[in-house]
Amino acid sequence: MELTTVKDALTIILNNSEEFGIEEIEFMHSAGRVLKENIVADRDFPPFNRVSMDGVAFSSKAFNEGIRKFKIEGIQAAGSKQLTLKNEHHCIEAMTGAMLPNNTDVVIQYELITIENGFATINLDTVKKYQNVHLKGLDRKKNDVLISKNTIISAAEIGVLATVGKSKVKVGKQPRVMIVSTGNELVEVTETPAEHQIRRSNVYTLVALLEKLNIKAETSHILDDKDTLQTNIQSFLKDNDVLLFSGAVSKGKFDFIPEVLDNLGVEKLFHKVKQRPGKPFWFGKKGAKTVFAFPGNPVSTFVSCLKYFYPWYNKSIGLNFESKHEAILNEDFYFKPNLTYFLQVKLNQENGKLLATPIAGKGSGDLANLIDSDAFLELPHNRSNFIKGEVFPLLTYR
Ligand SMILES: Nc1nc2c(c(=O)[nH]1)N[C@H]1C(S)=C(S)[C@@H](COP(=O)(O)OP(=O)(O)OC[C@H]3O[C@@H](n4cnc5c(N)ncnc54)[C@H](O)[C@@H]3O)O[C@H]1N2
Ligand code: MOO
Ligand SMILES: [Mg+2]
C-alpha cells in the first residue's frame, strides 16, 4: 500500500480542523487562551493630559514672558479632580499620574526648581510646551482596536484587558480530548511492573504536550480486547471532540485500533505515513469528531503529536498554524530509507544562529533520548545525505 507523504498527511489533517465554539471567562483565567473578540479602547490612552514628573505646573506663556518665580496656588494630586490655575503667573504643584491643571501646559520636576516661602523658582533658561506631560490620546484613541481577535492572551494582554475594564472576555472553547493508551503490557505509574510489563508513559507525555496548549485532557487505558475497546471507544466518541490513541495501529495480532474504529463508523482518512518514527499513524473522522491514532512507540507518539495535533489544534482555534521554526544542521547526517526522518537534535545558539546537533538515539522506543535532545529536525524523504550547514524545519518541545 502506498504511504501517505508527510506533506499530504498534514494537508488532510488541516483540511479537517474543527471549531469548538466560544465561551466567556474571567479575564484572570484567560492567559494562554485565544481571544475571540476585538478589544477596543474604552477611552483615550492616556485618558487625560497626565503629569509624568513630580514638580510644578505653570503656563509656558508666563515663563516666556520672563517669569521665573511662581507663587504656588495649590497641589494637584493623582486621583484628585482637575484644578484650575487662577492667576496665570502662579503655579500648582503637580504629581506624577495627576491631571494637568487647567491653564498650565508645562511641568518641571522638583530636581530643577527651588521652593521657598510658597514660591517655586524655575532654574532653567527655556521650557517646552507640554514638557513632562503625557498628552491625552497620545498612545491610543478611544475605540482603537488594542488587541485583535485570535490573539493568544499573555501577560501583556491581561494588563490591557484590565485597563479597559474587560473583567470577562470571550475566548475559544478548548476541545474535549480523551487520550487512550492500549496494551496488556502496560501498568500504572504507581505499580511495579512484572518482567514482561512496562509502565504506561505515552498518555502522560501527551497530557503534558496538550497542557502546553492549555488543553486539559482526560486519560484512559484499555486492554487489548476488541469488545472492550469497542464499548469504551464508542462512549469516548460520544463525550469528546478528539480522541488521541497511542498504540495498536500497526500489524500486530493485537493491533485492533483501525478495525475497531472502522466498526464504529470512524472514517479512515489515511493510515501509514512516509515517515520515521511514526509510520503506522492512523487518522480519521466521524462527523465533527477527530481521531488521531498514533503509533505506540514513545518517540513516534511524541513527534506525531507535535507535527500533526499541534497544527490541527492551532488551525481549529483560529491561530496561524504554520511553524516557521528552522535550524541549521550542525553535522553531516545520512539516512537511507525513502521516509521523512524526524531527527532528534540538541539545539544551541552560536553567533545568533540556531544550530542543531544530531542526538539520534536508539529508535522510536528510546524515550530516554528525548531528555538529551530538545527538538526534531525534519529531513525530507527524497534524499539520503544531509550536509552540515543546511537549514531544515524544526519541531521544538522545550
Ligand atoms: N510487522 C510490522 N511490525 C511493526 C511495524 C511494521 O510496519 N510492521 N511498525 C513498527 C513501528 S514503526 C511502530 S512505531 C510500532 C507501532 O506499534 P503500535 O502502534 O501497534 O503500538 P503497540 O504495538 O501497541 O506498541 C508498540 C510499542 O510501544 C509501547 N507502548 C505502547 N503504548 C505505550 C504507552 N502508553 N507507554 C509506553 N509505551 C507504550 C509498546 O509496549 C510497544 O513496545 O510497530 C512496529 N511494528
Ligand atoms: O516508525 Mo516506528 O514509529 O519507528 O517505531
Ligand atoms: Mg503493535
Side-chain angles (χ1 to χ4, degrees):
M1 193 183 65
E2 202 39 35
L3 302 180
T4 306
T5 62
V6 167
K7 188 163 173 273
D8 288 348
L10 187 59
T11 303
I12 292 169
I13 285 172
L14 293 176
N15 287 341
N16 282 282
S17 61
E18 291 293 337
E19 284 182 19
F20 316 118
I22 290 172
E23 64 183 334
E24 199 166 46
I25 61 171
E26 296 287 330
F27 86 107
M28 267 316 292
H29 298 144
S30 69
R33 303 291 295 275
V34 179
L35 187 64
K36 286 293 170 189
E37 59 180 320
N38 285 332
I39 300 298
V40 297
D42 61 329
R43 53 207 295 229
D44 285 346
F45 276 39
F48 48 82
N49 286 338
R50 186 163 63 198
V51 174
S52 64
M53 286 286 214
D54 303 311
V56 294
F58 51 88
S59 147
S60 61
K61 187 163 160 277
F63 185 93
N64 290 334
E65 285 166 4
I67 294 172
R68 293 293 180 273
K69 192 170 175 187
F70 295 83
K71 186 174 181 352
I72 297 170
E73 269 188 17
I75 297 182
Q76 174 78 64
S80 294
K81 285 191 177 160
Q82 187 182 33
L83 300 178
T84 297
L85 187 70
K86 295 195 178 68
N87 181 323
E88 68 173 27
H89 293 163
H90 290 177
C91 70
I92 290 178
E93 288 184 71
M95 305 303 129
T96 304
M99 291 185 80
L100 182 71
N102 262 324
N103 300 336
T104 73
D105 59 7
V106 178
V107 175
I108 298 298
Q109 60 266 50
Y110 283 125
E111 293 88 326
L112 302 180
I113 64 177
T114 317
I115 293 190
E116 235 174 37
N117 302 326
F119 283 84
T121 304
I122 313 298
N123 307 312
L124 294 172
D125 297 328
T126 56
V127 296
K128 272 201 286 210
K129 201 168 178 181
Y130 297 120
Q131 194 169 331
N132 297 319
V133 178
H134 194 167
L135 285 175
K136 177 177 195 285
L138 180 71
D139 305 349
R140 295 289 188 276
K141 294 276 186 253
K142 182 175 177 173
N143 294 329
D144 277 358
V145 174
L146 301 176
I147 316 174
S148 305
K149 188 176 164 178
N150 289 336
T151 299
I152 299 188
I153 298 170
S154 70
E157 284 75 26
I158 294 280
V160 170
L161 290 171
T163 212
V164 299
K166 282 292 288 182
S167 61
K168 293 221 163 75
V169 65
K170 290 195 176 77
V171 296
K173 264 195 198 162
Q174 295 295 57
R176 294 163 300 167
V177 182
M178 176 61 81
I179 299 172
V180 188
S181 60
T182 59
N184 291 355
E185 76 279 28
L186 302 175
V187 301
E188 244 326 318
V189 177
T190 47
E191 290 175 56
T192 305
E195 195 184 8
H196 55 279
Q197 296 174 322
I198 58 168
R199 294 193 185 90
R200 64 189 191 126
S201 59
N202 293 353
V203 280
Y204 301 109
T205 311
L206 288 172
V207 166
L209 284 171
L210 267 56
E211 264 174 13
K212 285 184 106 175
L213 306 173
N214 271 289
I215 299 171
K216 289 182 184 35
E218 294 198 49
T219 65
S220 179
H221 180 68
I222 316 176
L223 295 175
D224 293 321
D225 174 77
K226 236 188 261 184
D227 291 338
T228 320
L229 281 164
Q230 185 121 350
T231 319
N232 283 288
I233 296 172
Q234 184 159 33
S235 104
F236 295 155
L237 275 169
K238 196 155 60 63
D239 298 337
N240 295 279
D241 301 304
V242 188
L243 306 188
L244 298 186
F245 290 95
S246 166
V249 292
S250 189
K251 293 236 184 279
K253 284 276 180 299
F254 308 96
D255 290 340
F256 296 135
I257 290 291
E259 183 189 334
V260 167
L261 289 170
D262 184 52
N263 289 345
L264 290 169
V266 183
E267 186 197 355
K268 177 183 82 179
L269 295 182
F270 61 78
H271 186 194
K272 298 195 173 76
V273 181
K274 208 170 192 163
Q275 70 176 55
R276 183 176 295 165
K279 191 170 91 177
F281 175 32
W282 188 104
F283 177 77
K285 294 281 287 194
K286 182 176 185 177
K289 313 287 169 132
T290 310
V291 179
F292 294 77
F294 300 131
N297 272 319
V299 185
S300 308
T301 287
F302 197 104
V303 75
S304 301
C305 180
L306 292 177
K307 176 68 189 176
Y308 301 110
F309 180 78
Y310 269 41
W312 176 86
Y313 166 78
N314 283 338
K315 173 133 191 252
S316 296
I317 203 88
L319 296 176
N320 174 14
F321 53 88
E322 275 194 52
S323 158
K324 293 186 188 67
H325 295 297
E326 289 179 333
I328 303 168
L329 183 63
N330 202 26
E331 276 173 20
D332 290 351
F333 191 79
Y334 177 76
F335 182 73
K336 181 80 197 312
N338 182 21
L339 300 170
T340 296
Y341 187 55
F342 291 100
L343 170 66
Q344 287 180 255
V345 291
K346 183 91 198 153
L347 296 176
N348 68 297
Q349 292 267 1
E350 227 176 77
N351 301 324
K353 290 182 173 157
L354 190 58
L355 302 181
T357 305
I359 311 274
K362 307 292 186 299
S364 60
D366 182 4
L367 78 164
N369 197 59
L370 291 165
I371 308 298
D372 295 338
S373 57
D374 33 40
F376 295 87
L377 211 54
E378 184 176 333
L379 307 180
H381 64 84
N382 51 2
R383 40 188 288 212
S384 304
N385 283 299
F386 303 93
I387 314 297
K388 176 176 176 170
E390 286 190 89
V391 175
F392 296 103
L394 188 73
L395 297 167
T396 52
Y397 56 88
R398 301 262 184 221

